[in-house]
């Protein structure tokens, strides 16, 4: 039911789009009709062109995201456990955090060309901070009272981490990963539009050169649908692990 | 089982620029296998004493010696000291049964049968797979008690464990405490605001006032005690006077 409600506005937009195109209110060079767009979409799918671009983009996102996680997760944990180290990192992190990853793309092209490395770096830059900051936040917020319970039972530092800090931080880590995944998806498309020879972003840019707004629309729809799908799948998989955070479950949007 | 000998124990805190003693030159002997209650006004140092005993706080000066089978030791290394805090402090990501077994997580692969025994005696078996947010405050305190018992400590420290509970639940848990004490060979140290509770449960009541012991009162009544008997009322009144004096 909720899903159907959510479809109402897209349907209205589609109806306006359709009537507008049909009655010739707007030029099809600027906005092609939904029928034409649909046919283009069908062609891109059946010919395998869309799939090729999608797979390349997805591959980049997951590779970059995995790399970002491998860097951000341990750093978040270490800084959270050794708070005296935070002072050394605070300024630089604050600085880098305010630089949009896309702003580094021209520089990256200069250094690495338009190959895979520059895209990978953009994604790492985009997803590193949400993962890192949420992990750090989770560790820092770990209830002192619960840590004392472990201490009173004589837990060694390693066990305090394993049995208290990590499980307490886990929901924060997942939240950071979820945000990071969303950020890296967006940053990737940007990077592909600026510099790439394949990928969804490239497909959209290429459509501009060909004056094919229908391809652009198919590209945009693909980006939105895939982004939503990735988030949904990630949420479903991870939500199983955080059954204990009942209050927060409903706030995540997917019900 | 173990006893404790406390000599000249002091704990100094500094708040802002003011330093003060939360405990001052305290001498106390806690007998092996005894039930000691500690009463006193808010801020008199009850929690501080328990935290020093279980090593969560460093003492400023003085000595805490644990006596185990006749031999004294400084450390609590060979000694298991379990504490039940003023709040339940359950791990929200663990079920009730897992919370009870928490103390031995690093040491054992599987949860021992003891956990189920405690679940049963504490009336929690229906909720063993529930999470802490799904149970009531009284159940949470019972879970915390189960967790302390599962640890199988020589000394069990309890900091106003029933303070936040309603009258009926408190009464029920007090009776459970008495039978636990009679059935288990453990040393109990029980902090409470409630004089009646102290006299109902303990063999000795310690009255604290501003970090010092102002009275030690043995309670020589057989269990289970009747709170309306003249002897009982006599003792509670004596303690009451010691506190308001
Ligand atoms: N970590 C701390 N830093 C500074 N002062 C402290 C600290 N912990 C306790 N105190 C002080 O020590 C005194 C004794 O505190 P304590 O918690 O032992 O009281 P209490 O008898 O348990 O009181 P209540 O019945 O309200 O729990 C109080 O004046 C308190 O402000
Ligand atoms: Mg207290």
């Amino acid at each position: 039911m909720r899903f159907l409600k959510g479809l109402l506005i897209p349907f209205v937009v589609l109806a306006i789009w359709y009537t507008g195109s049909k009655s010739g209110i707007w030029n099809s060079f600027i906005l092609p009709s939904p029928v034409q767009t649909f046919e283009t979409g069908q062609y891109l799918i059946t010919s395998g062109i869309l799939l090729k671009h999608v797979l390349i983009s997805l591959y980049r996102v997951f590779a970059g995201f995995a790399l970002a996680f491998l860097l951000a997760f341990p750093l978040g944990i270490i800084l959270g456990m050794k708070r005296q180290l935070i002072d050394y990192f605070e300024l630089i992190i604050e600085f880098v955090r305010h630089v949009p990853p896309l702003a580094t793309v021209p520089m990256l092209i200069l250094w690495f060309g338009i190959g895979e490395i520059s895209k990978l770096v953009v994604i790492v830059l985009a997803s590193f901070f949400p993962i890192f900051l949420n992990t750090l936040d989770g560790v820092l917020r770990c209830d002192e009272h619960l840590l004392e319970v472990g201490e009173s039972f004589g837990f060694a530092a390693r066990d305090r981490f394993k049995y208290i800090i990590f499980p307490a931080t886990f929901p924060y880590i997942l939240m950071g990963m979820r945000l990071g995944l969303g950020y890296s998806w967006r940053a990737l498309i940007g990077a592909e539009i600026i510099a790439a020879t394949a990928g969804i972003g490239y497909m959209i840019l290429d459509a501009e050169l060909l004056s094919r707004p229908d391809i652009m629309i198919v590209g945009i729809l693909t980006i939105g649908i895939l982004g939503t799908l990735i988030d949904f799948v990630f949420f479903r998989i991870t939500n199983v692990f955080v059954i204990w955070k009942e209050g927060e479950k409903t706030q995540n949007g997917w019900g | 089982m173990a006893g404790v000998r406390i000599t000249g124990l002091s704990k100094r805190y500094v708040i802002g620029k003011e330093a003060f003693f939360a405990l001052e030159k305290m001498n106390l002997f806690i007998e092996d296998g005894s039930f000691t209650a500690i009463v006193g006004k808010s801020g008199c140092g009850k929690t501080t004493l328990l935290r020093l005993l279980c090593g969560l706080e460093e003492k400023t000066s003085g000595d805490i010696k644990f006596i185990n089978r006749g031999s004294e030791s400084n450390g609590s290394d060979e000694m298991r000291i379990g504490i039940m805090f003023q709040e339940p402090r359950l791990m929200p990501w663990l079920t009730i049964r897992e919370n009870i077994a928490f103390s031995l997580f690093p040491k054992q692969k599987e949860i021992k049968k003891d956990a189920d025994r405690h679940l049963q005696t504490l009336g929690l078996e229906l909720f063993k797979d529930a999470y802490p947010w799904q149970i009531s405050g009284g159940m949470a305190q019972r879970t915390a008690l189960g967790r302390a018992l599962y640890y199988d400590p020589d000394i069990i420290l309890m900091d106003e464990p029933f303070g936040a509970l309603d009258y009926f639940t408190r009464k029920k848990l007090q009776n459970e405490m008495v039978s636990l004490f009679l059935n288990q060979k453990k040393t109990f140290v029980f902090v409470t605001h409630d004089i009646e509770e102290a006299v109902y449960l303990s063999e000795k009541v310690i009255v604290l006032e501003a970090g010092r012991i102002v009275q030690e009162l043995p309670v020589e009544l057989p269990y289970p005690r009747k709170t309306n008997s003249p002897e009982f009322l006599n003792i509670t009144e004596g303690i009451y006077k010691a506190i308001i004096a």
Side-chain angles (χ1 to χ4, degrees), chain A residues 62-250:
Chain A
F62 289 114
F65 179 76
L67 197 60
F69 181 79
L70 289 179
L71 295 170
F73 171 69
L75 193 65
I77 296 283
I78 291 168
L79 287 196
M81 304 278 284
K82 304 237 176 287
R83 293 174 193 200
Q84 63 276 24
L85 291 180
I86 292 178
D87 293 346
Y88 293 98
F89 287 86
E90 202 166 11
L91 195 64
I92 179 85
I93 284 168
E94 198 57 24
F95 171 81
V96 180
R97 197 165 70 89
H98 283 103
V99 178
L102 279 186
T104 64
V105 171
M107 198 81 214
L108 293 172
I109 295 172
L110 192 64
W111 291 349
F112 305 111
I114 60 166
E116 288 308 305
I117 295 180
S118 51
K119 256 85 67 190
L120 221 56
V121 174
V122 168
I123 295 169
V124 170
L125 285 175
S127 52
F128 175 86
F129 289 99
I131 302 172
F132 166 73
L133 292 174
N134 276 278
T135 305
L136 178 64
D137 195 41
V139 179
L140 293 180
R141 276 168 193 258
C142 182
D143 191 348
E144 196 65 40
H145 278 177
L146 298 184
L147 284 169
E148 275 189 3
V149 172
E151 211 177 314
S152 80
F153 290 135
F155 280 23
R158 195 176 41 118
D159 293 326
R160 283 206 286 267
F161 175 76
K162 187 169 165 198
Y163 296 108
I164 303 174
I165 296 171
F166 182 71
T169 309
F170 197 61
Y172 291 88
I173 298 171
L174 290 183
M175 181 48 77
M177 289 172 78
R178 194 173 161 205
L179 285 172
L181 213 46
Y183 285 11
S184 54
W185 184 239
R186 285 197 238 176
L188 169 74
I189 302 298
E192 283 178 348
I193 286 178
I194 299 173
T197 50
I200 299 287
Y202 168 77
M203 190 183 88
I204 292 174
L205 182 80
D206 195 43
E208 187 202 340
L209 302 178
L210 300 172
S211 296
R212 288 289 300 274
D214 48 344
I215 298 183
M216 293 181 201
I217 295 174
V218 172
I220 292 167
L221 290 176
T222 309
I223 293 167
I225 292 170
L226 274 182
T228 311
L229 222 60
I230 292 172
D231 191 54
F232 179 75
V233 169
F234 185 81
F235 173 75
R236 266 299 145 94
I237 293 172
T238 56
N239 204 40
V240 176
F241 298 108
V242 274
I243 22 155
W244 57 274
K245 282 237 155 183
E246 184 59 4
E248 267 156 54
K249 225 168 156 185
T250 45

Side-chain angles (χ1 to χ4, degrees), chain B residues 47 86 159-160:
Chain B
T47 299
Q86 246 166 304
D159 195 354
E160 289 178 46

Side-chain angles (χ1 to χ4, degrees), chain B residues 32-45:
Chain B
D32 202 348
S34 66
F35 199 125
T36 307
I38 297 171
V39 297
K41 290 187 202 124
S42 185
C44 69

Side-chain angles (χ1 to χ4, degrees), chain B residues 2-241:
Chain B
V4 191
R5 187 192 305 284
I6 296 167
T7 33
L9 183 66
S10 295
K11 175 67 190 179
R12 202 173 71 121
Y13 280 122
V14 182
I15 297 182
K17 286 197 175 110
E18 295 282 312
F20 70 100
F21 284 91
L23 284 184
E24 201 168 2
K25 300 199 187 87
M26 173 180 284
N27 295 312
L28 176 64
F29 181 68
I30 297 168
E31 212 173 307
D32 202 348
S34 66
F35 199 125
T36 307
I38 297 171
V39 297
K41 290 187 202 124
S42 185
C44 69
K46 304 183 293 292
T47 299
T48 305
L49 175 60
L50 293 195
R51 290 176 63 85
L52 283 163
L53 282 174
C54 69
L56 285 175
E57 212 78 59
E58 290 288 333
K59 63 188 183 221
T60 306
S61 61
D63 219 11
I64 301 174
K65 284 241 189 321
F66 295 97
I67 309 148
N68 202 1
R69 291 180 213 92
S71 65
E72 294 200 5
S73 70
N74 273 323
S76 47
D77 300 343
E78 321 104 74
M79 192 80 51
R80 280 176 187 238
I81 301 170
I83 183 165
M84 207 183 145
F85 296 93
Q86 246 166 304
E87 323 79 29
R89 302 197 183 186
L90 303 177
M91 307 297 147
W93 55 88
L94 298 180
T95 63
I96 300 313
R97 184 164 180 273
E98 290 165 338
N99 262 292
I100 284 183
F102 184 71
S103 63
L104 299 185
F105 269 24
K107 298 210 174 101
Q108 67 189 18
K109 288 240 149 56
E110 266 178 27
I111 296 177
K112 288 192 291 183
K113 283 238 165 52
D114 288 358
D116 301 303
R117 195 163 52 78
H118 293 312
L119 281 167
Q120 186 144 20
T121 42
L122 296 170
L124 290 166
E125 72 264 73
L126 268 177
F127 296 88
K128 65 182 186 343
D129 295 322
Y131 285 87
W133 52 267
Q134 295 172 311
I135 61 172
S136 71
M139 289 176 188
Q141 279 300 12
R142 270 182 271 169
T143 307
L145 177 58
R147 178 175 66 187
L149 293 172
Y150 185 84
Y151 186 48
D152 196 19
D154 303 289
I155 302 174
I156 181 159
L157 310 171
M158 309 177 83
D159 195 354
E160 289 178 46
F162 311 142
L165 302 182
D166 68 284
Y167 178 82
F168 299 100
T169 313
R170 203 160 71 222
K171 280 287 160 218
K172 187 169 178 294
L173 287 180
Q174 284 170 4
N175 289 326
E176 278 165 22
M177 282 305 303
V178 171
S179 55
L180 270 173
F181 174 58
L182 296 176
N183 294 324
Q184 305 228 356
K185 298 252 165 292
K186 290 195 192 311
T187 308
F188 285 80
V189 181
F190 190 102
V191 163
T192 176
H193 273 133
D194 183 343
I195 297 169
E196 189 185 288
E197 182 173 68
V199 177
Y200 187 72
L201 293 174
S202 72
E203 299 173 312
K204 193 201 246 176
V205 179
I206 309 284
V207 182
L208 273 190
E209 172 79 51
R212 291 167 177 275
I213 295 177
V214 292
Q215 197 174 38
E216 279 190 47
L217 218 102
V219 184
E220 282 154 352
L221 302 174
Y223 296 104
R225 293 167 177 167
K226 289 209 166 19
T227 51
N228 52 3
S229 72
E231 300 90 334
F232 191 99
L233 294 172
N234 221 355
I235 298 172
T236 46
E237 195 170 331
I239 296 168
Y240 184 69
K241 281 190 183 133

